[in-house]
Amino acid sequence: MNEKNTKRISKFLSLILRHQPEKIGLKLDINGWTSVEELLNKSSNNGVSFTKEELDLVVKTNDKQRFSFNEDKTKIRANQGHSLKNVTIVTETKTPPPFLYHGTVAKFIPSIKENGLQKMSRQHVHLSSDVETAKKVGSRRGKPIILTVQSGVMHKKNYEFFLSENGVWLTNLVPTEFINFEDL
Ligand code: HQG
């Protein structure tokens, strides 16, 4: 399978396993899992055909490890990034490093200054442990601006942090007083 095809399937999986399973008549359980066999069948019925081996390869080689199988590989889910309200991926709360980073773009800064970092359409605010990754996240929307979040201070004040299976730090809200806006 070529890279273009892998990417196409990965994008399709993100859509179905995070946002719109109903698009192909699929149901996710409350932990985000769905049957691999049903996913293969229903995708194919809706014009997106791939084999179990191809799915395996997409999950294994995905650049951000977006998806996981359960132990016996009968079920699959997205590790994070859901907008579906009735899916919760349980991750343990974890002590974050002193600083985490958020990549965004200039047009959002006035609103972030006023309201802090909000979940917007996702279930959590997504933060990166390194500047490089945050830059990539911001670049999806234009020239990236990197905000530094005082996660250590927030943690001391009892804000909860979660670490997703693929290494993304998640929290519910970053109030503006914990964001460094210097130079902006
Ligand atoms: C911005 C991708 C105005 C926020 C990435 C961001 C990441 C505000 C956008 C993951 C705001 C939301 C998440 C406020 C936040 N006012 N704008 N108060 N608070 N924003 O896509 O962090 O490929 O939901 O800065 O690589 O960009 O999907 O979040 O620009 O890991 O796996 O509102 O998604 O990963 O956008 O990206 P998103 P994000 P995947």
Side-chain angles (χ1 to χ4, degrees):
M1 198 169 41
N2 62 25
E3 203 175 309
K4 200 168 149 215
N5 227 354
T6 328
K7 193 155 187 182
R8 189 181 64 100
I9 298 173
S10 166
K11 288 215 155 161
F12 175 74
L13 290 179
S14 286
L15 174 72
I16 299 302
L17 299 179
R18 288 169 164 180
H19 309 297
Q20 289 183 286
E22 72 279 0
K23 225 182 151 113
I24 59 166
L26 199 66
K27 284 217 166 78
L28 311 186
D29 72 16
I30 53 163
N31 300 312
W33 295 110
T34 193
S35 146
V36 168
E37 199 163 308
E38 245 180 84
L39 171 70
L40 292 174
N41 288 336
K42 294 194 164 159
S43 300
S44 161
N45 292 343
N46 285 272
V48 188
S49 293
F50 46 91
T51 63
K52 195 153 189 233
E53 290 67 36
E54 287 171 331
L55 181 64
D56 240 39
L57 190 76
V58 170
V59 171
K60 222 179 268 162
T61 59
N62 190 260
D63 56 347
K64 288 164 91 180
Q65 293 297 299
R66 292 180 178 88
F67 317 104
S68 295
F69 289 114
N70 67 340
E71 243 161 65
D72 64 5
K73 286 203 168 177
T74 55
K75 291 180 186 176
I76 185 169
R77 75 174 175 191
N79 290 325
Q80 38 76 232
H82 299 78
S83 60
L84 291 162
K85 294 280 170 283
N86 51 351
V87 169
T88 329
I89 307 290
V90 185
T91 22
E92 274 176 59
T93 59
K94 243 187 143 150
T95 305
F99 298 101
L100 287 169
Y101 305 93
H102 180 85
T104 187
V105 283
K107 66 173 176 194
F108 294 146
I109 296 298
S111 166
I112 295 175
K113 272 191 177 159
E114 179 144 342
N115 307 307
L117 284 169
Q118 300 190 321
K119 305 176 190 180
M120 310 311 276
S121 66
R122 304 205 192 228
Q123 291 187 343
H124 294 100
V125 175
H126 289 226
L127 302 169
S128 313
S129 55
D130 62 286
V131 176
E132 247 348 274
T133 308
K135 261 191 197 153
K136 277 191 205 147
V137 174
S139 305
R140 287 154 52 239
R141 301 176 193 284
K143 188 167 176 276
I145 290 187
I146 310 304
L147 301 175
T148 302
V149 170
Q150 298 165 26
S151 35
V153 179
M154 285 180 71
H155 180 70
K156 279 201 192 94
K157 297 199 172 186
N158 293 325
Y159 283 85
E160 283 188 320
F161 286 82
F162 312 89
L163 183 58
S164 79
E165 219 156 310
N166 59 342
V168 178
W169 282 94
L170 307 167
T171 192
N172 290 312
L173 166 75
V174 181
T176 186
E177 69 259 35
F178 302 114
I179 306 171
N180 298 352
F181 288 104
E182 289 123 57
D183 313 326
L184 293 178

